[in-house]
Amino acid sequence: VHVVPHITGAIRGWIEKAARARIGMMSNRRRAVSAAPALQREETPDMCVIELGGTVGDIESMPFLEAIRELQLQVGRENVLVVHVSLIPEIGGEQKTKPTQHSVQKMREIGIYPDVLVARTTNDLTNGAREKLASFCHVDPRDIISMPNLNNIYHIPHILVKQGLHNKFADQLKLRRRTLDLALLNSWAETATNIDNLKKKVKIALVGKYTKGTDTYHSVVKALLHAAVATKQKLEISWIDSTYLEDSGATEEAEEQQISLRRDAWKRLKEADGVVIPGGFGQRALEGMINAINYSRTTKKPFLGVCLGMQLAVIEYARSVLGRKHAGSTEFDKHLTQEEQVVIFMPEGDAKKMGGTMRLGVRKTKLRKDSIMQNLYGAKVIEERHRHRFEVNPLHVDALEKGGLRFVGKDADKGDRMEVVELSEAVHPYFVATQYHPEFNSRHTRPSPPFLGLLQAAKVTSNAAAEGASKSELS
């Protein structure tokens, strides 16, 4: 196997397949925030957008850059538009264009010529810097887009339209110029303004094992933000490493530091208005997540579990309510008894193989009538994206249901896969978990219903806590 042409050819093949695939088109009409997405028709897209990350010159990106160069020859240069995003650092009040000049030079050596430069700057791009970039990078000054730091990313569409980037795309790719969807643009502007003006804070504890880098849970964070804006709250995320919610296993020398970290983690969990347990893999720090779930359930703190979060919520309930002290998942313990196997590998899969064994993509879920989730979605059957290998063992569903845990969402095909679990609102204000990943379908105009429900419940909790604190001060 050679990098050229085999690997680059495979990359081009993936791009061509994506570009020609028919995709579901949704109505531009703005729906209620809790409405589920509804596909209106399928069409072949006019344009395929390819994001090529990394840094020009890095060895990791070389095959992908070469594939793009080859693609230009294959489809014709007139059918490709290259946008190069580059940082323009500001030193001593002067915007420096040399790094961008060098990166463009490197791209041209490869055989890729930028048609548009997007200059990422602290402040608006100066005329002097624009002239330098145009001269040394061989790009029309009108095709250099100034992209300064903004209060939030939802201002970006307005900035791009104002500088005519949409018309550049249409003209170079010979697409018909279309009337701008003002309703859609206004929705972005409205979201941006709302975020800027939000005052009332809501604190959500995101409890997981990958909290050192926030990009890991980026989709979850965005879903929380969409729901917070819809409920007119300013989102504050409290990142909690679930390792520090577990019982100590530290050495005597490290014990003092561990106690401090655990004390801080529990303090932040208790101060939160709501709790999210996101997806993940592996056994590390699981017991800390289970402890967080137990605390949320027993103190009636609004809770949302996603994927692994749902599996752990079921395990916690089996342990605490049904008395199965060693209940768990076969993902982490292969020696569990039948009664303890609350979460199991999907029966149609191969537990010995790691590649290609996930249940992936959009699947239909049927929701129980008058459940919290059906009320939030406003539909009996929903479509959400999945990404998992393990699921709740159907053999234990009856016992869990009798114990008070409600499995209100099941797969629409056979009804033997548990998709959504919740506690009755008479027992808990909001205790919901999903096997699927609702965050993947969240949009700023259409927040994900499970996340919306969490933020609505957290708002009530926050208001109640504020009122209690106010009364305490008065007394």
Side-chain angles (χ1 to χ4, degrees):
V1 176
H2 297 281
V3 174
V4 180
H6 300 123
I7 294 177
T8 57
I11 294 170
R12 283 188 285 111
W14 295 333
I15 293 171
E16 291 176 63
K17 184 179 179 181
R20 292 171 178 164
R22 293 176 66 82
I23 59 174
M25 305 295 290
M26 288 187 290
S27 170
N28 286 334
R29 179 174 56 86
R30 193 173 182 186
R31 295 179 296 276
V33 292
S34 61
L39 299 182
Q40 303 297 316
R41 62 192 183 281
E42 283 195 347
E43 292 184 3
T44 301
D46 297 317
M47 183 189 299
C48 177
V49 179
I50 305 158
E51 181 188 1
L52 181 53
T55 303
V56 177
D58 281 357
I59 192 170
E60 294 91 344
S61 63
M62 287 176 64
F64 297 92
L65 289 167
E66 172 61 20
I68 297 298
R69 186 196 68 79
E70 294 172 4
L71 187 67
Q72 292 178 135
L73 295 174
Q74 181 178 330
V75 303
R77 185 66 181 87
E78 69 279 5
N79 292 314
V80 176
L81 184 145
V82 178
V83 179
H84 181 47
V85 182
S86 183
L87 176 67
I88 309 293
E90 194 168 304
I91 301 174
E94 182 184 357
Q95 293 177 343
K96 301 294 184 180
T97 63
K98 280 292 183 184
T100 301
Q101 293 178 37
H102 283 292
S103 66
V104 170
Q105 181 184 19
K106 194 71 178 177
M107 287 181 69
R108 296 176 72 180
E109 288 176 1
I110 296 168
I112 300 174
Y113 298 82
D115 301 295
V116 175
L117 281 180
V118 175
R120 276 292 291 114
T121 57
T122 302
N123 303 297
D124 285 322
L125 189 67
T126 64
N127 289 334
R130 186 185 297 273
E131 289 172 4
K132 282 185 180 180
L133 289 171
S135 176
F136 292 104
C137 299
H138 198 65
V139 175
D140 191 309
R142 293 169 297 181
D143 298 331
I144 298 175
I145 306 298
S146 174
M147 185 52 62
N149 290 349
L150 301 165
N151 290 338
N152 65 75
I153 65 170
Y154 297 95
H155 288 288
I156 291 176
H158 176 71
I159 297 291
L160 296 180
V161 168
K162 188 177 179 181
Q163 297 180 72
L165 184 61
H166 58 301
N167 289 330
K168 170 66 177 179
F169 283 5
D171 294 344
Q172 180 158 330
L173 298 176
K174 296 179 174 60
L175 300 172
R176 177 173 57 87
R177 284 197 181 189
R178 300 183 181 184
T179 303
L180 288 173
D181 186 341
L182 294 179
L184 183 60
L185 279 175
N186 288 338
S187 75
W188 284 90
E190 182 183 340
T191 300
T193 303
N194 287 341
I195 292 175
D196 288 342
N197 295 328
L198 290 173
K199 297 288 188 268
K200 186 184 184 306
K201 291 184 178 181
V202 61
K203 186 179 291 186
I204 301 296
L206 201 157
V207 183
K209 58 172 73 178
Y210 317 119
T211 56
K212 290 182 179 178
T214 57
D215 279 0
T216 307
Y217 300 121
H218 189 71
S219 296
V220 173
V221 171
K222 289 301 178 185
L224 287 168
L225 176 61
H226 299 158
V229 174
T231 55
K232 294 180 171 54
Q233 301 179 92
K234 186 174 183 178
L235 179 65
E236 182 181 325
I237 295 180
S238 182
W239 298 90
I240 301 178
D241 186 337
S242 55
T243 302
Y244 302 118
L245 298 178
E246 295 183 336
D247 295 332
S248 175
T251 61
E252 190 172 326
E253 293 79 9
E255 183 66 24
E256 186 174 340
Q257 182 184 10
Q258 290 290 320
I259 289 174
S260 175
L261 291 169
R262 289 201 307 276
R263 187 184 295 118
D264 177 65
W266 277 106
K267 179 177 180 289
R268 287 186 287 120
L269 180 67
K270 293 175 181 179
E271 290 174 347
D273 301 310
V275 177
V276 175
I277 305 285
F281 297 92
Q283 190 169 5
R284 183 181 67 81
L286 288 182
E287 293 302 321
M289 295 185 211
I290 291 175
N291 288 341
I293 294 170
N294 176 268
Y295 176 79
S296 301
R297 182 179 60 79
T298 55
T299 61
K300 299 188 178 181
K301 189 180 290 290
F303 166 81
L304 175 63
V306 175
C307 198
L308 176 65
M310 170 174 159
Q311 296 170 11
L312 296 180
V314 174
I315 290 171
E316 187 281 326
Y317 205 84
R319 289 180 182 180
S320 302
V321 179
L322 301 190
R324 302 181 184 182
K325 301 299 182 184
H326 301 290
S329 169
T330 56
E331 178 181 4
F332 315 119
D333 189 347
K334 309 297 183 187
H335 305 292
L336 296 172
T337 65
Q338 187 67 38
E339 187 182 62
E340 295 167 345
Q341 294 178 13
V342 176
V343 176
I344 58 171
F345 192 81
M346 294 183 301
E348 74 276 18
D350 186 343
K352 295 181 180 179
K353 292 182 180 179
M354 291 299 288
T357 58
M358 281 190 174
R359 185 168 177 247
L360 291 170
V362 175
R363 310 280 176 152
K364 290 184 178 180
T365 296
K366 187 175 181 180
L367 299 174
R368 187 186 298 182
K369 184 179 179 181
D370 295 331
S371 62
I372 296 172
M373 279 296 95
Q374 192 195 68
N375 291 335
L376 283 168
Y377 277 97
K380 294 180 181 178
V381 178
I382 61 171
E383 293 185 341
E384 293 281 12
R385 290 166 61 184
H386 292 67
R387 190 175 185 271
H388 65 102
R389 293 188 182 91
F390 291 79
E391 61 188 13
V392 175
N393 189 341
L395 296 178
H396 301 299
V397 169
D398 286 344
L400 288 162
E401 287 259 12
K402 289 176 182 177
L405 197 61
R406 306 172 69 215
F407 290 91
V408 300
K410 300 180 181 181
D411 70 290
D413 297 327
K414 297 181 180 179
D416 56 0
R417 295 184 190 277
M418 304 303 114
E419 297 280 10
V420 184
V421 63
E422 65 184 46
L423 289 176
S424 167
E425 288 180 288
V427 176
H428 195 289
Y430 192 83
F431 189 93
V432 170
T434 66
Q435 182 58 70
Y436 53 79
H437 287 266
E439 68 272 22
F440 292 159
N441 279 331
S442 185
R443 301 292 183 270
H444 73 282
T445 55
R446 178 176 37 81
S448 166
F451 285 89
L452 183 65
L454 175 72
L455 269 293
Q456 288 173 339
K459 188 173 187 177
V460 174
T461 301
S462 177
N463 289 340
E467 288 177 10
S470 179
K471 290 179 180 178
S472 177
E473 288 176 5
L474 292 172
S475 61

